[in-house]
Amino acid sequence: MTTRDRKISPDMTLLDIVHDHPDTEAVFRARDEQAGECLLCQALFDTVAEVAERYGLDAEKLLDDLAQAAIRPTGQ
């Protein structure tokens, strides 16, 4: 299993997720305003669960959006 095939989970850091699935960056950027700061600047080494709790984000919705962004187009 390659890192790109690894399922995104609440215990993964933002850095690991963006490294494995670059298209997920937009998901984090879309939540910067709600968080009140740049998540990838301030919480890059934190887990999804930690970030959701600290910034009052819906962890389940965040994980769903990340999973959708991580899906590779068919044939690539």
Side-chain angles (χ1 to χ4, degrees):
M1 177 189 309
T2 67
T3 56
R4 283 189 151 298
D5 296 326
R6 183 168 52 161
K7 183 179 177 188
I8 296 173
S9 64
D11 63 334
M12 291 178 73
T13 66
L14 276 56
L15 176 63
D16 287 338
I17 294 168
V18 173
H19 176 267
D20 293 351
H21 309 283
D23 289 339
T24 60
E25 181 177 342
V27 174
F28 292 116
R29 297 272 181 226
R31 286 169 171 78
D32 286 350
E33 187 173 334
Q34 181 182 353
E37 60 187 15
C38 172
L39 294 174
L40 295 176
C41 301
Q42 300 300 320
L44 193 60
F45 300 104
D46 297 333
T47 66
V48 172
E50 293 167 338
V51 167
E53 184 175 335
R54 181 178 311 126
Y55 295 102
L57 304 174
D58 181 335
E60 195 143 331
K61 174 74 170 130
L62 177 56
L63 287 167
D64 287 345
D65 290 350
L66 290 168
Q68 287 298 314
I71 296 172
R72 290 182 291 202
T74 307
Q76 290 191 358

